[in-house]
Amino acid sequence: YIFASLLIYTVSMLILAVPASPTATMMRMANVFASLGYGGLLGIVPPALRITFGTRHLGIIYGLLYVGVAIFQPLWSLL
């Protein structure tokens, strides 16, 4: 599952990186592949966290992840 997601995401980046100047259609295709690949990667995070850390500390880990997103997403937008 994770390898398929990484492969799809890599294909999307290659669609943009290999040609000298990607067309609008290539950009749309890359966007679709990137969305699918990244969605697959995000879908594996909850079970991976549960397997790695157990269910006892899962709420704390999710809380830390959400706080990190709340802090760094606005900062990323400033770039």
Side-chain angles (χ1 to χ4, degrees), residues 20-57:
S21 61
T23 63
T25 304
M26 293 172 122
M27 182 66 99
R28 288 187 190 100
M29 283 179 23
N31 190 15
V32 168
F33 285 125
S35 299
L36 288 173
Y38 192 64
L41 291 173
L42 288 180
I44 199 69
V45 168
L49 288 175
R50 186 180 54 82
I51 290 169
T52 304
F53 298 107
T55 56
R56 184 173 182 193
H57 303 292

Side-chain angles (χ1 to χ4, degrees), residues 1-2 5 8 15-16 25-26 32 34 37 43 46 48 60 63 65 67 75:
Y1 183 77
I2 194 150
S5 297
I8 292 171
I15 289 173
L16 296 175
T25 304
M26 293 172 122
V32 168
I60 294 170
L65 288 172
V67 167
L75 294 175

Side-chain angles (χ1 to χ4, degrees), residues 1-20:
Y1 183 77
I2 194 150
F3 290 121
S5 297
L6 286 171
L7 179 68
I8 292 171
Y9 190 76
T10 303
V11 165
S12 72
M13 295 300 117
L14 288 174
I15 289 173
L16 296 175
V18 171

